């Protein structure tokens, strides 16, 4: 029921995105699915998703997460997504909601510090730990005042807590590839018949777009896993 808004915005006869409604995957032990999708739509952003009560709570982070505890990243809450979305990577066709290229940038599990996530959502402060391929350790999402009054569209800040995973390393620049396929945005767009030129604007300059570079890396990885 919570994903009504998600479904209303999309035409599942056209977009390859999942409709949702399957059984929520059981992760157990008080840990839940965590995913970040790098999304080159009208503007580049990182969709930060945390599984809770059978859906993915979602925030759009324009600049992406930062490992530096002194950096606060704006995170606009967006509609809940189905849990199946945590595996989606591909091209959303032109004219559809969110049209553009989606990369599975990070994937793993998360654990809320307090088991009552509903209360944390209500209070506007969610403390949690990430066990992702790229992001780990302690984080917090804090709701801010002033940005819109719609409760489903509130502005939050995503902040790294100080721990051994805190760093000044810029993950968005230094770890730009998909954790699912090792592809860059331009590769995903090209493979899915999307706008590779626009997608490449979301890839770090100089790391992509060398003819064949990402493709061959992808091929090497595929060979290894076959
Ligand atoms: Mn998005």
């Amino acid at each position: 029921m919570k994903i009504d808004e998600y479904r209303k915005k999309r035409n599942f006869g056209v977009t390859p995105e999942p409709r949702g409604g399957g059984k929520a995957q059981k992760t157990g032990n008080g840990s839940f699915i965590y995913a970040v999708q790098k999304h080159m739509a009208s503007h580049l952003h990182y969709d930060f998703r945390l599984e809770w009560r059978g859906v993915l709570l979602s925030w759009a982070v324009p600049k992406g997460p930062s490992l530096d505890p002194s950096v606060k990243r704006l995170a606009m809450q967006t509609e809940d997504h189905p849990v199946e979305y945590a595996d989606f990577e591909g091209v959303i066709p032109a004219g559809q909601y969110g049209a553009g290229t989606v990369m599975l940038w990070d994937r793993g599990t998360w654990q809320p510090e307090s088991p009552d996530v509903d209360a944390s959502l209500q209070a506007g402060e969610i403390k949690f730990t990430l066990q992702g391929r790229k992001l780990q350790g302690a984080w917090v999402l804090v709701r801010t005042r002033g940005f819109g009054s719609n409760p489903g569209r509130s502005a939050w800040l995503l902040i790294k807590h100080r721990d051994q995973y805190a760093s000044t390393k810029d993950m968005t620049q230094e770890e730009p590839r998909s954790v699912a396929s090792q592809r860059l945005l331009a590769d995903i767009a090209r493979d899915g018949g999307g706008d590779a030129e626009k997608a490449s604007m979301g890839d770090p300059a100089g790391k992509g777009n060398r003819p064949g570079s990402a493709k061959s890396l992808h091929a090497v990885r595929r060979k290894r896993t076959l």
Side-chain angles (χ1 to χ4, degrees):
M1 215 156 88
K2 285 180 79 186
I3 58 169
D4 281 356
E5 184 184 351
Y6 169 86
R7 286 186 180 147
K8 265 183 217 151
K9 289 180 167 176
R10 291 167 175 82
N11 178 353
F12 296 103
V14 181
T15 181
E17 296 167 289
R19 186 171 191 283
K23 288 247 162 66
Q25 294 151 268
K26 284 244 157 55
T27 42
N29 299 327
S31 69
F32 305 93
I33 292 169
Y34 144 76
V36 178
Q37 277 144 330
K38 185 175 179 181
H39 186 184
M40 177 53 99
S42 50
H43 299 282
L44 181 68
H45 59 274
Y46 293 73
D47 288 302
F48 189 89
R49 309 196 196 278
L50 301 175
E51 177 193 6
W52 179 243
R53 287 192 186 279
V55 298
L56 298 173
L57 305 173
S58 297
W59 290 263
V61 184
K63 292 186 176 172
S66 171
L67 298 183
D68 183 344
S70 70
V71 174
K72 301 172 172 66
R73 287 285 158 85
L74 179 66
M76 297 300 294
Q77 195 173 12
T78 58
E79 77 273 17
D80 295 341
H81 279 50
V83 286
E84 293 91 333
Y85 209 93
D87 294 317
F88 177 71
E89 177 170 281
V91 172
I92 302 173
Q96 300 300 303
Y97 180 76
T101 306
V102 179
M103 171 200 289
L104 192 53
W105 185 79
D106 198 18
R107 181 77 157 81
T109 57
W110 77 287
Q111 285 170 293
E113 186 179 295
S114 157
D116 192 347
V117 176
D118 291 325
S120 303
L121 275 165
Q122 193 76 28
E125 185 178 68
I126 311 171
K127 291 179 179 170
F128 55 96
T129 305
L130 294 180
Q131 299 92 24
R133 301 266 295 274
K134 292 178 183 172
L135 305 186
Q136 293 173 312
W139 295 74
V140 65
L141 273 161
V142 191
R143 191 165 55 225
T144 64
R145 294 165 193 279
F147 268 99
S149 49
N150 183 339
R153 286 288 174 278
S154 49
W156 298 61
L157 298 170
L158 175 65
I159 311 164
K160 181 78 193 74
H161 270 175
R162 286 185 197 285
D163 61 17
Q164 73 263 39
Y165 301 105
S167 164
T168 53
K169 177 180 176 183
D170 185 346
M171 294 296 282
T172 62
Q173 291 300 304
E174 295 188 34
E175 302 275 355
R177 291 179 184 274
S178 162
V179 293
S181 67
Q182 299 298 309
R183 292 179 297 177
L184 291 169
L185 275 172
D187 305 316
I188 296 166
R190 202 178 298 117
D191 293 348
D195 186 341
E197 194 182 333
K198 175 158 191 198
S200 73
M201 297 189 315
D203 291 323
K207 292 204 176 168
N209 312 322
R210 285 190 304 268
S213 62
K215 275 262 193 283
S216 50
L217 224 177
H218 184 43
V220 166
R221 186 176 183 273
R222 279 180 65 176
K223 207 181 277 175
R224 214 187 294 142
T225 54
L226 278 174

